[in-house]
Amino acid sequence: MSVTDLENIHTNSVKIESIRERADSCTDCDLAKTRTKVVFGTGNVNKKLVLVGEGPSAADNHLGLPFIGPAGDMLQEVLIANDITRSDLWLTNIIKCRAAATTGHNSKNRPPKATEIKACAKWLDSELTIIQPKVILCLGSTAAKVLIHSRFRITEERGQWFTNTYYAPYAIATYNPAYVLRQEGHKYESMRNIVIEDIAKAIEKLHQSEEIPKTTLF
């Protein structure tokens, strides 16, 4: 690795930590009033594979890390099935604070509102601008609607490659682990295997995009 590469790695790490610190004090939408912690992205800022989910869960909100709890355990399993870990990618969400609907003493995750997505867009933009990913894997339709196209339908377009997105030359979507966990029996096993296969596609595409064309002197 060259000196320039090492300098770029250090620079990216410094930049992302600066963004994280600013996001920690964000009050641009009402989710700031109900959050416990801002859940910023995590992983390796110098890797070119980025996974993007919808938003933090209750466990994420408590610990300040994305994909903790049952959905995080499942994500870890499907990554390991592809011989990678969180250190081989950057993992983040469309919004950085938990969106929840509260009834009495109970709260349940809900899809983020358009205003919340808009208010949080600058943090995701900063992450992706620094990382400059070659492959983005959207976990669920909410992320796909933001990063691929606004009318994305997960049942029809999951597993398809999109090459005209703003942040990466290649983008694809799969099911969100939280959604898969709500399925039962054969449907659960089928969807879990699909997520494993889609992650494999993303890894293969990343390797293809990083290949240097071979040339000869003669």
Side-chain angles (χ1 to χ4, degrees), residues 11-191:
T11 299
N12 286 347
S13 298
V14 170
K15 286 180 179 179
I16 209 75
E17 286 308 312
S18 176
I19 300 299
R20 186 194 307 273
E21 290 175 5
R22 289 166 50 200
D24 280 342
S25 59
C26 179
T27 57
D28 287 353
C29 78
D30 287 343
L31 294 181
K33 300 175 183 177
T34 57
R35 74 178 181 230
T36 300
K37 290 185 177 181
V38 170
V39 182
F40 199 71
T42 188
N44 192 327
V45 72
N46 295 294
K47 296 295 184 179
K48 299 301 181 182
L49 172 61
V50 175
L51 274 59
V52 185
E54 177 177 290
S57 67
D60 302 348
N61 177 56
H62 179 69
L63 294 176
L65 294 169
F67 284 90
I68 301 298
D73 291 341
M74 183 188 161
L75 178 63
Q76 188 73 5
E77 290 173 5
V78 295
L79 291 177
I80 290 173
N82 280 287
D83 296 321
I84 63 171
T85 67
R86 296 182 187 220
S87 64
D88 296 307
L89 50 86
W90 184 256
L91 178 62
T92 192
N93 283 301
I94 294 297
I95 61 170
K96 312 306 183 192
C97 297
R98 185 190 181 207
T102 302
T103 303
H105 296 292
N106 299 319
S107 64
K108 184 178 180 180
N109 294 341
R110 62 164 174 80
K113 300 175 183 177
T115 53
E116 295 162 349
I117 293 174
K118 183 177 180 180
C120 223
K122 61 181 174 296
W123 306 123
L124 182 64
D125 174 78
S126 296
E127 289 176 284
L128 298 180
T129 299
I130 291 169
I131 296 169
Q132 296 184 16
K134 292 185 177 180
V135 176
I136 291 177
L137 174 60
C138 297
L139 302 174
S141 60
T142 297
K145 286 177 180 178
V146 172
L147 295 173
I148 296 179
H149 69 80
S150 61
R151 296 183 179 181
F152 189 93
R153 296 177 64 86
I154 195 77
T155 54
E156 298 175 4
E157 298 175 288
R158 177 216 57 81
Q160 296 181 23
W161 283 109
F162 294 82
T163 57
N164 58 345
T165 63
Y166 183 77
Y167 289 107
Y170 304 103
I172 192 172
T174 193
Y175 299 114
N176 192 307
Y179 175 73
V180 177
L181 287 174
R182 295 197 292 270
Q183 313 308 312
E184 297 180 353
H186 175 72
K187 191 171 183 180
Y188 165 79
E189 292 296 335
S190 176
M191 284 191 170

